Amino acid sequence: MHALLRLAVVGASIAALTAGATAAPRTATAAPSPDAGLISAMRRDLGLTEAQSVLLREKQDAAITLDGALRGTLGTAFAGSWFDPADGVLTVNVSDPARASDVEKAGGRARVVTRTSAELEAIKAEIDNAFEPGRSPSAAGSPTSGLESWHVDPKSNRVVVSVIEGQHPAVLDALARHGDAVAVEHVEQAAETTKWMNGGEEIHDILLTSCSAGFNVRNPENGKTFLLTAGHCFDHGDWVFGNDLSYFGDVVASYFPKWDHGLIEAKNTSHWQQGPYVQSDPANGGYITVGPAREAPVGTAMCKYGVTTQWTCGTIVAKDKSVTYAGESEPVNHLTQTNACSEPGDSGGANVAYTPAWTAEGMTSGGALVEVDGAQRCLAAVGRANRSYYYPVAKALEFYGPNFGVSLM
């Protein structure tokens, strides 16, 4: 039971009541590695045997390290990257042909492209700036009405704009001058945030609205501990409760939309223990140990844990994507898109990259959902490709590090 409660703080959902009863302190247990639950999810979702999973893990770890190094050495010549799980090689775009040899010497695959990152980011910023403060993006007459999401795609060296079927956002007309630097694709419906369904390991607010917990963080100077989750799950000042309805702590920061991250300060530390763990096997008290916060490239295999779907796996499809959720007043920026299944209740849950250190990637934000037998399900339930999003941990810590002195445990 002790591991279950500790992990509810990292891989569960969230429930806030009026301060539940306090139980006895918990003791620590060793984290199993490799984790059977995660390996099973990778076999199911990615079609990999355990041996293939271990090999992929090693290749991805090397690719992520290489990606970070080349971003630094190439400077403005770096124009995006992606990982190919078929051959385990990192492809790096370079806008300066003279720098291709630097990529090859470092062990990557160089690809010379015509557009720099700065050029594509400027086009993306043009779309960002088309949103009118205080006005719904879907309101009639809005230049962004019908726009679902947009991001810089390294594989095509273009800005990819996703439009809801049957609609034509006015902003597309303004983007036409960029020619084939902008590609338009169509999606069936807007994505939705996923906080409304209860189930499994969870964290709640006082109204029993459920979400999944993300990652534990700590201020090493004063010893205070915190929990990262999705910002849309709670408001600043909310009380937060764990899966046994015991009080956990208070929301000290919450941002949504524009961003989607929130920070909960642990108050009931005699009841709840925290560590660098993500829930894994609730029935047996299992969990994995999570390493540093990193941002893996497109193509990297990843897995996420959430209260509703538990472990599901997929790959990173796009990064730094701006997404307009259904019914929201402005887009959420900096989201990473995956094809792992996420459903209501999974919001805030931990997304990890499959490397030896289980690197912390992000907190589940939302995804495209479809109704099946009265329940909101991910698109795979009807045979379509999943579309899920998480907010990067590294991006959240850029704010919470300086303002609260925290880092991952």
Side-chain angles (χ1 to χ4, degrees):
M1 187 63 176
H2 64 276
L4 183 73
L5 293 177
R6 173 166 66 179
L7 299 180
V9 186
V10 263
S13 22
I14 142 174
L17 251 157
T18 40
T22 300
R26 274 73 179 157
T27 55
T29 59
S33 181
D35 176 76
L38 257 172
I39 295 298
S40 176
M42 296 192 75
R43 181 181 296 114
R44 179 195 66 219
D45 297 338
L46 300 176
L48 299 175
T49 65
E50 182 169 349
Q52 291 171 327
S53 297
V54 172
L55 180 60
L56 178 64
R57 189 177 199 176
E58 295 171 353
K59 290 181 177 179
Q60 289 194 164
D61 187 52
I64 294 170
T65 300
L66 177 61
D67 186 58
L70 287 174
R71 285 174 185 268
T73 58
L74 293 174
T76 58
F78 182 91
S81 62
W82 72 92
F83 174 75
D84 185 351
D87 59 15
V89 177
L90 180 75
T91 297
V92 178
N93 292 339
V94 289
S95 55
D96 179 359
R99 303 304 301 273
S101 60
D102 295 336
V103 175
E104 301 289 346
K105 290 176 182 177
R109 178 186 293 128
R111 176 172 175 257
V112 179
V113 295
T114 57
R115 303 179 188 96
T116 67
S117 287
E119 290 170 339
L120 295 177
E121 289 294 343
I123 297 174
K124 180 179 180 293
E126 197 175 315
I127 309 174
D128 294 339
N129 295 332
F131 281 84
E132 302 171 12
R135 187 182 187 191
S136 171
S138 59
S142 168
T144 54
S145 178
L147 201 59
E148 192 266 350
S149 60
W150 55 102
H151 70 287
V152 174
D153 176 37
K155 290 186 177 181
S156 65
N157 192 225
R158 291 179 169 90
V159 173
V160 176
V161 179
S162 299
V163 176
I164 300 170
E165 286 284 5
Q167 300 194 42
H168 183 86
V171 71
L172 292 183
D173 298 329
L175 294 173
R177 72 182 192 283
H178 297 296
D180 64 359
V182 176
V184 178
E185 63 179 17
H186 291 86
V187 296
E188 293 83 359
Q189 80 271 347
E192 303 174 47
T193 52
T194 53
K195 70 174 180 179
W196 302 112
M197 184 185 291
N198 298 334
E201 305 280 354
E202 50 199 8
I203 48 179
H204 307 266
D205 65 9
I206 200 166
L207 299 177
L208 295 182
T209 299
S210 297
C211 273
S212 300
F215 298 94
N216 286 316
V217 294
R218 177 177 180 271
N219 182 323
E221 297 296 323
N222 58 27
K224 289 184 177 181
T225 58
F226 303 80
L227 171 66
L228 280 171
T229 189
H232 73 262
C233 289
F234 309 103
D235 293 326
H236 186 279
D238 279 354
W239 294 344
V240 175
F241 299 78
N243 67 313
D244 65 349
L245 304 187
S246 295
Y247 172 64
F248 172 78
D250 302 338
V251 178
V252 293
S254 180
Y255 296 92
F256 180 85
K258 192 170 184 180
W259 306 288
D260 194 6
H261 55 72
L263 189 69
I264 307 163
E265 182 179 349
K267 296 288 190 179
N268 187 7
T269 54
S270 63
H271 181 77
W272 297 102
Q273 290 191 42
Q274 294 173 270
Y277 311 116
V278 169
Q279 175 78 354
S280 176
D281 183 5
N284 299 304
Y287 58 94
I288 63 169
T289 301
V290 180
R294 296 167 76 178
E295 291 198 61
V298 167
T300 301
M302 49 69 63
C303 298
K304 63 126 266 298
Y305 189 89
V307 55
T308 303
T309 57
Q310 299 191 354
W311 280 119
T312 60
C313 301
T315 57
I316 294 175
V317 175
K319 300 185 65 173
D320 198 25
K321 196 162 188 174
S322 298
V323 177
T324 306
Y325 284 124
E328 294 303 328
S329 60
E330 61 180 311
V332 179
N333 301 316
H334 308 307
L335 293 179
T336 296
Q337 180 182 341
T338 79
N339 53 23
C341 177
S342 292
E343 295 181 352
D346 288 336
S347 278
N351 290 252
V352 297
Y354 189 59
T355 67
W358 288 114
T359 56
E361 289 292 322
M363 295 80 67
T364 298
S365 176
L369 303 172
V370 62
E371 186 169 322
V372 178
D373 297 328
Q376 293 292 300
R377 302 291 309 282
C378 63
L379 298 183
V382 292
R384 288 156 54 189
N386 291 320
R387 196 165 76 252
S388 300
Y389 301 105
Y390 66 74
Y391 193 92
V393 174
K395 187 68 68 175
L397 289 177
E398 287 179 8
F399 175 78
Y400 293 123
N403 286 283
F404 291 88
V406 298
S407 57
L408 285 178
M409 287 186 170

